């Protein structure tokens, strides 16, 4: 991730005001742009469509049928085969690694962001901490993987899920702190002052004021980090070894190596590993997309 | 707040800086342990010899001499640069146009966005595996449709394989960047377009005279993400082509993995990693200069 991405939310929470539309005023339809975006849509959709329909074909029918026509005799055999080759275990591994990293990462990032915003201009230590995190945005994960590998071996954590969790937390921190602090900054000062007059401690203000008021940002950061860790490939590849520690992307890769000729089965494994995220996406689509727009926009 | 109140709270605030500092400690510990120490560690390791399992020995500048003399390095740098430049050149215009269109057409967006952003959710491994199957010359989509143009050895020919990498990268990331641009376009004041329309400006003129200049900082943000992000295309290329055919798509990150884990030479692999960090830093600095403002810092001043 890069260091220039920064956020300036206009409103905290709440749906965007529809009536105050900005941008180009409504005018005659733009055929060129419309056509372009439909072409792009086709480029996006055709492979996805092909993946889904093929995953329901039997291997013999796959060669016989037109690849873009839905299967004449749809079968779940590919899915059964994938599930029987230990995918439930890999699924559990992915869930454990993702939740185990995202929840602590978001909590400690929130605490750090809160301290930096609330007291950053009085404490040189906090300003220094913040500059460190900002610098961290420019560090590519790949570049530090060899020492991380060494540290994990020396901690006797090699080939455990904890080996994935600990570095994932560290790598989630810089961006999380940046986005969360941009939102905490917009919580009106008066609210903090009045809570302090009532005798609230900073910890209480963090949990009962800042946290609820920045919930959209917390959700966005959580989803973003979860997606990154769920889809992560390099850490499991380098830091684990035994089949029973595999997370889904790694399992997908070795399954593909094993059954590369059985295209429908390989594609069924692709669909299965994506399904959990897809369900989350359908549930939280509005939140994720608006969060990303605000979070990465100008 | 009045001057009196400010001075009255000043001593209290001084105490707050210290009393809140502990809140950053957990994040700082993790970040130091698995971010900062490895960053220094990779430089240290580049002066050692280590096979990844046994003991680590000091080896002076052996690894550096070894890597810098290897013709594989300029090649990997060149491939990395090409991937960066071409994927930027494909993604940026497409993302700006799509983002502008999506920002102005809410009805379409509701329909499109359901499927539109799916590539954003898929793992690079899943995307690479699906495209590998789709492009297979014997079992893929082209063979099934029996369209000769599509029946190519897509991943077996160096130029085609390179083109496939650029295409798949764009397929994966254009949705994300068009989302960023959509956010940028929606912040352009509508009055600018109304004024231009009164002056008789057409759609194309308005796009080049208002939309593009107003998107300057969005372009820099998105380009920084693309360019710095392109240094880290490891999973996609590793699964799709494994750097091949030959070394046609062996980018720096892949070169590091091959040297370190396949050839068991962590010393030279660390040299490549140090080069990766340096390239990333230089790029971030250059892009920041181009931007003419330091977005993250200017925001912090208000903290």
């Amino acid at each position: 991730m890069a260091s220039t991405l920064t956020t300036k939310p206009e409103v905290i929470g709440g749906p965007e005001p529809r009536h105050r539309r900005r941008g180009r005023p409504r005018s005659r339809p733009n055929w060129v742009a419309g056509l372009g975006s439909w072409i792009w849509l086709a480029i996006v959709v055709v492979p996805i469509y092909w993946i889904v329909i093929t995953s329901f074909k039997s291997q013999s029918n796959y060669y016989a049928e037109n690849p873009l026509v839905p299967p004449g005799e749809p079968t779940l055999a590919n899915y059964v085969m994938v599930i029987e080759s230990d995918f439930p275990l890999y699924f559990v591994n992915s869930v454990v690694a993702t939740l185990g990293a995202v929840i602590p990462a978001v909590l400690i990032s929130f605490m750090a962001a809160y301290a930096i915003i609330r007291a950053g201009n009085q404490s040189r230590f906090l300003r220094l901490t913040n500059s460190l995190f900002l610098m961290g945005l420019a560090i590519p994960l790949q570049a530090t993987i060899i020492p991380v590998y060494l540290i994990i071996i020396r901690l006797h954590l090699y080939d455990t899920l904890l080996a994935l969790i600990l570095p994932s937390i560290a790598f989630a921190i810089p961006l999380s702190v940046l986005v969360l602090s941009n939102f905490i900054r917009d919580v009106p000062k008066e609210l903090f002052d009045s809570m302090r007059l009532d005798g609230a401690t900073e910890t209480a203000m963090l949990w009962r004021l800042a946290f609820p008021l920045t919930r959209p940002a917390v959700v966005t950061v959580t989803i973003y980090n979860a997606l990154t860790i769920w889809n992560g490939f390099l850490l499991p590849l380098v830091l684990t070894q035994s089949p029973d520690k595999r997370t889904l992307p790694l399992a997908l890769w070795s399954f593909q190596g094993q059954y590369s000729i059985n295209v429908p089965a390989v594609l069924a494994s692709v669909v299965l590993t994506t399904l959990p995220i897809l369900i989350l996406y359908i549930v939280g689509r509005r939140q994720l997309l608006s969060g990303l727009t605000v979070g990465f926009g100008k | 707040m009045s001057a009196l109140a400010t001075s009255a709270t000043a001593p209290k605030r001084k105490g707050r800086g210290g009393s809140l500092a502990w809140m950053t400690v957990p994040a700082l510990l993790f970040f130091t342990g698995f971010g900062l120490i490895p960053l220094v560690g990779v430089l240290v390791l580049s002066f050692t010899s280590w096979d990844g399992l046994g003991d680590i020995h000091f080896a002076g500048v052996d690894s550096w001499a070894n890597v810098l003399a290897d013709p594989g390095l300029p090649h990997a740098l060149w491939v990395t640069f090409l991937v960066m430049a071409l994927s930027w050149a494909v993604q940026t215009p497409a993302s700006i146009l799509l983002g502008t269109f999506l920002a102005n057409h809410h009805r379409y967006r509701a329909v499109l966005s359901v499927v539109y952003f799916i590539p954003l959710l898929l793992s690079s491994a899943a995307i690479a595996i699906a495209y590998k199957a789709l492009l297979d010359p014997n079992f893929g989509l082209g063979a099934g449709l029996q369209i000769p143009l599509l029946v190519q050895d897509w991943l077996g020919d160096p130029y085609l394989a390179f083109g496939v990498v650029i295409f798949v990268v764009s397929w994966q990331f254009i949705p994300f960047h068009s989302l960023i641009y959509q956010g940028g376009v929606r912040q352009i004041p509508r009055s600018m377009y109304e004024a231009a329309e009164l002056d008789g400006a057409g759609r194309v003129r308005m796009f080049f005279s208002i939309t593009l200049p107003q998107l300057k900082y969005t372009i820099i943000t998105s380009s920084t993400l693309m360019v710095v992000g392109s240094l880290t295309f490891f999973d996609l290329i590793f699964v799709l082509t494994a750097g091949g055919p030959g070394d046609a798509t062996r980018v720096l990150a892949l070169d590091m993995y091959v040297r370190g884990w396949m050839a068991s030479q962590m010393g030279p692999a660390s040299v490549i990693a140090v080069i990766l960090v340096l390239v990333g830093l230089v790029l971030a600095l250059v892009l920041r200069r181009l931007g003419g403002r330091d977005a993250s810092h200017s925001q912090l001043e208000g903290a």
Side-chain angles (χ1 to χ4, degrees), chain B residues 171-186:
Chain B
W171 189 85
Q172 185 176 9
F173 291 108
I174 283 180
F176 175 70
H177 290 282
S178 59
L179 202 60
I180 297 181
Y181 282 113
Q182 181 196 314
V185 170
R186 276 156 79 186

Side-chain angles (χ1 to χ4, degrees), chain B residues 28-58:
Chain B
L28 208 52
L29 278 181
F30 269 101
F31 184 66
T32 308
F34 291 97
L36 289 182
I37 291 177
L39 196 63
V40 178
V42 77
L43 187 63
V44 174
L45 282 174
S46 73
F47 294 102
T48 65
S49 107
W50 181 38
D51 63 1
L53 297 167
D55 293 329
I56 302 171
H57 302 286
F58 180 72

Side-chain angles (χ1 to χ4, degrees), chain A residues 11 31 141 167 172:
Chain A
V11 230
W31 296 111
L141 169 70

Side-chain angles (χ1 to χ4, degrees), chain B residues 57-126:
Chain B
H57 302 286
F58 180 72
V61 292
D62 283 5
S63 301
W64 282 91
N66 178 335
V67 170
L68 293 178
D70 184 346
L73 177 67
H75 177 77
L77 277 170
W78 172 240
V79 173
T80 308
F81 169 76
L82 272 186
V83 168
M84 185 186 291
L86 289 178
S87 63
W88 181 85
V90 172
Q91 289 181 75
T92 301
S95 306
I96 291 178
L97 290 175
L98 281 168
T100 310
F101 181 74
L102 289 175
N104 294 318
H105 294 78
H106 288 260
R107 264 182 315 140
Y108 288 101
R109 209 178 64 218
V111 184
L112 292 177
S113 69
V114 179
V115 276
Y116 205 77
F117 297 107
I118 288 180
L120 209 77
L121 310 172
L122 299 175
S123 69
S124 297

Side-chain angles (χ1 to χ4, degrees), chain B residues 7 88 135 140 208:
Chain B
S7 63
W88 181 85
L135 295 170
F208 283 103

